[in-house]
C-alpha cells in the first residue's frame, strides 16, 4: 500500500493512495488513526483495516489538496553518512568501518512538490539522493536478521546539505549544515514494505534540471539496512514513524570538477525503483 499525509482545515490527515485518488482513512473508518504515524503503531492489523478502508472509501483528487511530508512529525530523523564507498572517495574520506551517523530536525522536512529554500547564509548547497526507511514498530537492541520486521516502508529522500556549514565551520557543523528548513524533502508516498521485497537492490538516481547526476543501486551500500537498524537500535529506541536516511551514492555536487551547487530555479528529482519520483524546485531565501 501507499500512504500520504494531506492538509485539511482540521489539520494533517492520513490518506491511502488508490487508482482513483486519495481516500481519507479515518473518515472512512473512524477506528483508524488520523495520522500515518498512528496507523503504523497498529502494525499489520492497521494495514489490513487501511486496505479495507481504501476499497470502501470515497476517493478525491490528489491535486485538490496540499500534500505534507508523509510522516510530518517523526520523533527522530537519523542520517547515515558515507554509506557508499565511491561517495566516501569523492568526499575525500576513508571508508568507515562502522556507520557514520548524524541527524536532522523535523523542521527540515518538506514534501514532494515543495520548494527547497536556499538560505542566504549558505553559498554551497548540495543534493543527495537517498532511500529513506520508515520504522514501523518499537525497536531496541534488535538483531540484524530480524531488523526487517521493524521497517514499515520506504520513501525517496534528498539529504540537502550546506557544505560550507557542514565542512567549513569550526570543527565542522554536520548537524547545522544538514538541517536548515526544507533540507529534508521526502516523498512522494510512503510505500509499505511488502511492495519492496529487497531494499538492498533498488536503482536510485538523481536528476538536476533533467540531467542525471547520481545513478547507482542500493546494493552498493557499505552497511545494509538490516545492519543500520540493528546498530542504531543498540544506541536508541527506534519508534514508529522514525526516519532513517540511508546514505547517498556518488555524483554529488561537492565531488564534481568544477564543484556544482544548487541555485534558484533548479529542479531536483530523486527517483528510486518501485517507490517513485520526488520532485522539488529550488528558490532563493526571502
Amino acid at each position: 500500500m501507499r500512504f500520504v499525509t494531506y492538509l485539511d482545515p482540521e489539520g494533517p490527515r492520513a490518506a491511502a493512495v488508490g487508482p482513483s485518488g486519495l481516500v481519507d482513512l479515518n473518515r472512512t473508518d473512524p477506528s483508524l488513526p488520523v495520522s500515518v504515524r498512528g496507523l503504523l503503531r497498529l502494525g499489520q492489523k492497521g494495514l489490513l483495516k487501511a486496505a479495507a478502508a481504501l476499497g470502501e472509501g470515497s476517493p478525491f483528487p490528489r491535486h485538490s489538496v496540499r500534500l505534507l511530508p508523509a510522516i510530518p512529525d517523526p520523533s527522530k530523523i537519523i542520517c547515515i553518512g558515507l554509506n557508499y564507498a565511491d561517495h566516501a572517495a569523492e568526499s575525500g574520506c576513508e571508508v568507515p568501518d562502522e556507520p557514520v551517523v548524524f541527524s536532522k530536525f523535523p523542521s527540515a522536512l518538506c514534501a514532494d512538490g515543495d520548494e527547497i529554500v536556499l538560505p542566504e547564509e549558505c553559498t554551497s548547497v548540495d543534493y543527495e539522493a537517498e532511500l529513506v526507511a520508515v520504522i514501523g514498530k518499537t525497536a531496541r537492541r534488535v538483531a540484524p536478521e530480524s531488523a526487517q520486521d521493524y521497517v514499515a516502508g520506504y520513501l525517496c529522500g534528498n539529504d540537502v546539505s550546506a557544505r560550507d556549514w557542514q565542512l567549513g565551520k569550526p570543527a565542522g557543523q554536520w548537524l547545522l549544515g544538514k538541517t536548515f528548513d526544507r533540507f529534508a524533502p521526502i516523498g512522494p508516498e510512503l510505500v509499505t514494505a511488502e511492495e519492496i521485497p529487497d531494499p538492498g537492490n533498488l536503482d536510485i538516481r538523481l536528476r538536476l534540471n533533467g540531467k542525471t547526476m547520481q545513478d547507482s543501486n542500493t546494493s552498493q551500500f557499505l552497511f545494509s539496512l538490516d545492519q543500520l537498524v540493528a546498530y542504531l537500535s543498540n544506541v536508541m529506541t527506534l519508534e514508529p514513524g522514525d526516519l532513517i536516511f540511508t546514505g547517498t551514492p556518488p555524483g554529488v555536487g561537492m565531488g564534481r570538477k568544477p564543484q556544482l551547487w544548487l541555485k534558484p530555479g533548479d529542479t531536483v528529482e530523486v527517483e528510486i525503483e518501485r517507490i517513485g519520483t520526488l520532485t522539488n524546485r529550488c528558490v532563493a531565501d526571502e
Side-chain angles (χ1 to χ4, degrees):
M1 292 190 68
R2 293 171 179 253
F3 299 102
V4 298
T5 297
Y6 75 96
L7 184 60
D8 181 81
E10 297 180 2
R13 298 186 64 88
V17 181
S20 301
L22 305 180
V23 172
D24 186 296
L25 296 172
N26 171 263
R27 287 185 175 140
T28 303
D29 180 353
S31 71
L32 286 170
V34 172
S35 71
V36 174
R37 191 174 169 195
L39 177 67
L40 297 181
R41 291 184 182 277
L42 297 180
Q44 190 60 33
K45 176 184 176 182
L47 294 181
L48 291 173
K49 294 186 74 173
L54 176 60
E56 298 167 1
S58 300
F60 55 91
R62 187 188 191 106
H63 62 77
S64 67
V65 295
R66 178 191 167 195
L67 293 184
L68 302 174
I71 307 289
D73 58 345
S75 68
K76 292 183 283 296
I77 303 175
I78 306 163
C79 306
I80 307 301
L82 309 175
N83 201 23
Y84 291 72
D86 34 15
H87 173 56
E90 73 176 352
S91 301
C93 301
E94 294 184 4
V95 174
D97 56 10
E98 60 183 84
V100 175
V101 183
F102 58 96
S103 65
K104 291 176 179 272
F105 295 133
S107 55
L109 289 173
C110 67
D112 179 50
D114 282 348
E115 295 174 333
I116 297 171
V117 177
L118 304 177
E120 61 182 24
E121 296 85 359
C122 305
T123 60
S124 308
V125 180
D126 209 345
Y127 53 80
E128 293 191 8
E130 305 209 8
L131 174 68
V132 178
V134 183
I135 295 298
K137 62 181 181 179
T138 302
R140 178 65 172 147
R141 299 194 185 280
V142 303
E145 55 269 23
S146 62
Q148 283 293 319
D149 296 339
Y150 295 84
V151 177
Y154 304 93
L155 297 150
C156 299
N158 186 351
D159 176 17
V160 182
S161 306
R163 302 299 189 191
D164 46 338
W165 281 66
Q166 177 193 359
L167 304 173
K169 293 289 185 178
Q173 292 280 13
W174 274 63
L175 173 62
L176 296 185
K178 297 280 191 171
T179 201
F180 281 89
D181 291 350
R182 305 289 186 97
F183 268 28
I186 57 171
E189 302 159 350
L190 168 59
V191 181
T192 53
E194 72 269 10
E195 292 197 23
I196 313 292
D198 185 4
N201 186 22
L202 297 172
D203 290 334
I204 177 171
R205 58 185 58 89
L206 181 143
R207 292 183 293 273
L208 179 61
N209 301 322
K211 181 179 179 180
T212 299
M213 312 303 287
Q214 294 180 279
D215 191 354
S216 188
N217 187 283
T218 57
S219 62
Q220 299 304 304
F221 279 172
L222 291 172
F223 304 100
S224 70
L225 181 57
D226 292 346
Q227 291 174 299
L228 294 176
V229 172
Y231 182 87
L232 294 169
S233 73
N234 286 335
V235 177
M236 68 197 81
T237 300
L238 302 176
E239 300 172 321
D242 284 354
L243 306 179
I244 303 174
F245 280 67
T246 57
T248 198
V252 299
M254 179 181 64
R256 295 182 174 272
K257 297 182 179 179
Q259 292 180 323
L260 177 64
W261 308 123
L262 296 175
K263 63 184 186 302
D266 283 347
T267 297
V268 187
E269 299 171 281
V270 176
E271 180 182 7
I272 302 181
E273 181 183 0
R274 294 178 175 266
I275 297 176
T277 302
L278 167 69
T279 305
N280 301 93
R281 183 173 175 271
C282 299
V283 299
D285 200 355
E286 294 182 356

